[in-house]
């Protein structure tokens, strides 16, 4: 399982704070699917990224214009509509990862494991590739009866101020992966958010509200998604 990283510094982090292009590509798809092409033009223009509408990025990109786009979505669209678009974009990103970044054999193995073990293994893989979706943010994760992900200084809401949690894109990516590979009953909730003044964006993945049997057997899990075998990342 290998993947080429951008140029990195001595501590192993990207020399330039970058994020995977699916944070843009799948957002464009979500806006198109919702029939919001005029709003998309306004959003990308406000973020000074209009060129990406015509030619979306295909490699790791500077996190700053990506953050500007996500924040423009939340400014331009009414709150419920913005949340719905970012949720759809996150789910689409999760689908892309399943189809292109996680080997099919690894998916099959995870699906026959008890949910708690599958969750630990998936969490380890996500942590190893956090640089693709957390950018300059400080990512950490803790797996137990549930899994908690934290992104301190999350670049996608940097400088933003809100009275509610706004990072539904990240929550939806995590939820799609856990529903497919751990339990279809998983729900991921953002419990704290940097945009709300909290110390980090914190996400809790919980699959424990359903009977254990539904967590254990592959027959109760989502069907596998075919795709090339590559390493997990949000690219």
């Amino acid at each position: 399982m290998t993947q080429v990283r951008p140029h990195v510094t001595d501590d192993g982090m990207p020399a330039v704070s970058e994020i995977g292009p699916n944070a843009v590509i799948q957002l464009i798809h979500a806006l198109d699917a919702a029939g919001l092409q005029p709003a998309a033009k306004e959003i990308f223009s406000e973020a000074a990224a209009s060129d990406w509408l015509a030619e979306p990025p295909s490699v790791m990109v500077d996190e700053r214009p990506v953050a500007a786009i996500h924040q423009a979505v939340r400014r331009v669209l009414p709150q419920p509509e913005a949340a719905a678009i970012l949720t759809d974009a996150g789910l689409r990103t999760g689908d892309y990862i399943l189809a292109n970044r996680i080997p099919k054999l690894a998916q099959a193995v995870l699906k026959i494991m008890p949910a708690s073990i599958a969750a630990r293994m998936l969490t380890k893989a996500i942590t190893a590739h956090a640089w693709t979706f957390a950018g300059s943010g400080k990512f950490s994760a803790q797996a137990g009866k549930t899994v908690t992900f934290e992104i301190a200084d999350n670049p996608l809401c940097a400088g933003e101020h809100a009275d509610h949690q706004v990072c539904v894109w990240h929550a939806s990516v995590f939820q799609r992966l856990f529903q497919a590979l751990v339990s279809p009953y998983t729900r991921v909730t953002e419990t704290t958010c940097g945009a709300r003044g909290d110390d980090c964006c914190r996400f809790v993945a919980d699959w424990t509200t359903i009977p254990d049997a539904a967590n254990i057997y592959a027959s109760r899990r989502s069907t596998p998604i075919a795709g090339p075998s590559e390493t997990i990342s949000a690219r």
Side-chain angles (χ1 to χ4, degrees):
M1 295 169 60
T2 60
Q3 181 174 325
V4 177
R5 287 195 183 200
H7 175 65
V8 296
T9 59
D10 291 340
D11 62 1
M13 297 302 293
V16 176
S17 295
E18 295 179 329
I19 197 166
N22 274 286
V24 178
I25 295 169
Q26 304 307 331
L27 179 56
I28 293 173
H29 290 334
L31 288 163
D32 285 345
L36 293 175
Q37 289 84 358
K41 291 181 180 179
E42 180 180 355
I43 288 164
F44 278 71
S45 175
E46 185 171 318
S50 296
D51 289 350
W52 277 349
L53 271 180
E55 188 174 351
S58 58
V59 296
M60 296 288 289
V61 292
D62 188 329
E63 68 184 23
R64 292 169 294 183
V66 178
I69 292 166
H70 279 237
Q71 293 182 28
V73 169
R74 294 189 279 269
R75 286 193 302 271
V76 171
L77 299 178
Q79 181 181 333
E81 191 171 27
I85 291 298
L86 291 167
T87 295
D88 186 30
L91 296 176
R92 289 170 182 269
T93 301
D95 285 339
Y96 175 87
I97 294 169
L98 290 164
N100 297 279
R101 298 299 182 193
I102 306 179
K104 290 183 286 184
L105 178 58
Q107 294 190 40
V109 170
L110 288 171
K111 291 182 180 190
I112 63 175
M113 289 180 169
S116 60
I117 298 176
R120 288 180 182 276
M121 292 187 68
L122 179 57
T123 298
K124 184 177 180 180
I126 290 172
T127 300
H129 296 85
W131 52 277
T132 65
F133 60 82
S136 62
K138 302 174 183 66
F139 181 85
S140 62
Q142 183 174 357
K145 290 184 177 180
T146 60
V147 174
T148 299
F149 298 105
E150 294 184 355
I151 305 175
D153 302 319
N154 185 352
L156 294 192
C157 65
E160 191 169 358
H161 301 284
D163 60 2
H164 59 283
Q165 293 89 337
V166 303
C167 301
V168 294
W169 180 79
H170 280 106
S172 298
V173 174
F174 297 143
Q175 180 161 299
R176 180 64 95 208
L177 297 178
F178 271 74
Q179 285 184 340
L181 301 175
V182 175
S183 167
Y185 300 94
T186 304
R187 293 294 178 269
V188 176
T189 305
E190 185 180 23
T191 59
T192 67
C193 185
R196 206 179 60 171
D198 297 317
D199 62 342
C200 68
C201 299
R202 183 176 291 112
F203 309 87
V204 177
D206 186 356
W207 60 90
T208 63
T209 57
I210 52 101
D212 286 344
N215 287 319
I216 295 173
Y217 298 107
S219 61
R220 301 292 181 91
R221 307 278 177 86
S222 300
T223 56
I225 299 177
S229 295
E230 299 182 44
T231 304
I232 178 174
S233 80
R235 290 185 61 189

